Amino acid sequence: MTNGSGSPPRLSPAADLLFGSVAGMIGMLFQFPFDTIKVRLQSQPHGAGQLFTGPLDCAVKGFKSGGVKSFYKGLSAPLVGAMIENSALFGAFSHIQSVVRRYSDMPSVEAPLSLAQLTLSGFLSGALVSFVLTPVELVKCQLQVQDVLFNPAANASIPPHASTTTPVPPAHSLHHGQHHQGPISVIMTTLRKHGIRGLYHGHVGTFLREAGGGAAWFGTYELVIRELIRRKQKAQLEEPPPGPAPASAPSPRAAAASSTSLSLFPSPSSTSIPPHPTQPPPGPPRTITKEDLGTPSIMLAGALAGMTYNAALFPADTLKSRQQTTDGGKSFVQVARDLYTAQGWRGFYKGFGITVLRSAPTSAMIFATYVSEEEQELLSRHFPF
């Protein structure tokens, strides 16, 4: 990770992995219920057969179907995946920065990267992580939707519509209505029916989301950090320089005694020795770095970065979710065409609002956990590197 000015990372690779893992775990625990609602909204059938009118309706029906536990279906796989994803993402971001610096004729290894170079590093980092994340996303999405989307008992209360469009029956789920007990069941069924390629169903959407999102995430974070540094540096320059302490006026008696003493016993050096200055002359202003910003500023930059990440390529995430929760082997383009025909552009943004809103605190916590000096020092006491 950079220090806000593009300088090389201060952490060792082992520390990068550890802090990234902890950050990913904390972020996933917070965001998972919201992610479950988002995936269910994205994966519901077309047209009048839609099961939910919005995020709140989805949350209520999910709670009635399985209680609070229903929002944490499939947590174990993405929890491990989030730890791997964030540790790999931060680690790859740091390593790719070194590669970019090496092949960009930088004057020194300490030279800061430009915002464009940091954004490119984020893009490449996300592209690499997508190959690890696609199988995790497939398992997560399958477990998140099976209790609501493909459970006839849970949907029995849905009123019929006049349209001939009907909900997708259980047989249209990716594994023909099979109820999975956990991540291992999803993985084994996928391998048995589709082989290794089945685990990468929906990879195009994951690649676009992670690569484009990685560029947006790190690029926005660095942009906001640099702007906060610039503002803090400007405020420091505008502060008035410290002057000498004002001298207190002597009392009349002391002034008279001093005058008498000077007239009776004049000192030859009294007029030749200047008084010592009370303050040294001001030096050049101190350079502001990310460490001077504090945790609230880091969290602000992280929150804005998270919102940009999710908003940038949200339609790709929608298509990925639909691919990974339906059978038929349709391509990314075919799924996009079907969705547009049935719902128009609005269909690509199901769950957009709740996703962008929940991403702000989640991303803020991830960056605060990873970047905060206090967190790094606390962990380093137990895990020295």
Side-chain angles (χ1 to χ4, degrees):
M1 191 60 199
T2 65
N3 66 358
S5 58
S7 59
R10 297 172 290 103
L11 300 176
S12 68
D16 253 326
L17 294 174
L18 175 62
F19 297 143
S21 297
V22 174
M25 179 181 67
I26 292 175
M28 180 55 68
L29 287 172
F30 174 81
Q31 75 167 5
F32 196 76
F34 301 97
D35 186 72
T36 297
I37 295 173
K38 178 207 72 170
V39 171
R40 289 173 178 174
L41 288 171
Q42 289 176 331
S43 305
Q44 63 181 325
H46 295 308
Q50 292 186 24
L51 305 179
F52 315 112
T53 58
L56 182 59
D57 183 52
C58 181
V60 171
K61 288 177 179 174
F63 182 78
K64 289 181 179 178
S65 173
V68 175
K69 290 174 59 178
S70 70
F71 296 103
Y72 286 92
K73 279 286 185 179
L75 174 63
S76 57
L79 186 62
V80 175
M83 296 172 68
I84 296 173
E85 176 192 6
N86 280 272
S87 60
L89 188 62
F90 281 107
F93 185 64
S94 296
H95 179 71
I96 290 173
Q97 286 182 79
S98 302
V99 174
V100 170
R101 191 175 281 105
R102 187 181 311 132
Y103 288 97
S104 299
D105 296 326
M106 306 294 285
S108 71
V109 295
E110 299 293 331
L113 295 179
S114 67
L115 187 61
Q117 290 171 322
L118 289 168
T119 303
L120 174 62
S121 299
F123 177 89
L124 295 176
S125 302
L128 291 174
V129 168
S130 70
F131 288 91
V132 178
L133 196 59
T134 299
V136 176
E137 285 285 302
L138 183 136
V139 173
K140 172 181 75 72
C141 290
Q142 282 287 295
L143 293 174
Q144 283 177 321
V145 303
Q146 67 175 358
D147 283 348
V148 176
L149 261 61
F150 308 123
N151 184 355
N155 300 326
S157 60
I158 300 176
H161 297 274
S163 170
T164 56
T165 306
T166 56
V168 177
H172 287 189
S173 66
L174 187 59
H175 300 307
H176 308 288
Q178 175 178 342
H179 192 278
H180 301 288
Q181 299 301 317
I184 300 299
S185 174
V186 177
I187 294 171
M188 297 306 296
T189 303
T190 302
L191 290 175
R192 185 172 62 252
K193 292 181 176 292
H194 305 283
I196 294 293
R197 286 188 63 183
L199 294 176
Y200 282 86
H201 194 58
H203 177 67
V204 173
T206 307
F207 178 88
L208 291 175
R209 186 193 70 181
E210 293 301 312
W217 202 43
F218 286 111
T220 302
Y221 173 79
E222 295 291 345
L223 178 64
V224 175
I225 285 293
R226 292 183 179 194
E227 177 61 20
L228 293 175
I229 289 175
R230 186 191 68 79
R231 288 173 177 267
K232 196 174 183 68
Q233 191 79 60
K234 181 181 178 182
Q236 177 183 262
L237 293 174
E238 292 175 350
E239 289 180 359
S248 58
S251 63
R253 180 178 297 180
S258 173
S259 174
T260 305
S261 173
L262 288 175
S263 60
L264 296 177
F265 306 102
S267 172
S269 59
S270 61
T271 59
S272 60
I273 301 177
H276 293 288
T278 57
Q279 292 286 346
R286 183 174 64 87
T287 300
I288 301 297
T289 65
K290 188 193 68 179
E291 284 71 23
D292 298 304
L293 296 179
T295 300
S297 295
I298 298 298
M299 295 185 73
L300 172 63
L304 294 175
M307 296 175 73
T308 305
Y309 164 85
N310 281 280
L313 288 163
F314 189 82
D317 182 65
T318 297
L319 297 175
K320 182 230 25 130
S321 295
R322 297 193 73 88
Q323 275 191 289
Q324 292 182 330
T325 55
T326 57
D327 201 3
K330 289 186 177 181
S331 68
F332 183 81
V333 175
Q334 288 174 317
V335 173
R337 186 183 298 117
D338 292 345
L339 181 59
Y340 180 76
T341 301
Q343 301 183 31
W345 287 111
R346 293 184 62 182
F348 292 86
Y349 287 91
K350 292 288 185 181
F352 177 80
I354 191 173
T355 302
V356 173
L357 289 177
R358 61 91 171 161
S359 67
T362 302
S363 184
M365 287 190 291
I366 289 176
F367 273 104
T369 303
Y370 182 83
V371 178
S372 170
E373 289 293 330
E374 291 80 9
E375 292 290 340
Q376 292 179 16
E377 291 173 2
L378 177 62
L379 290 174
S380 296
R381 295 171 190 164
H382 302 284
F383 301 94
F385 296 102

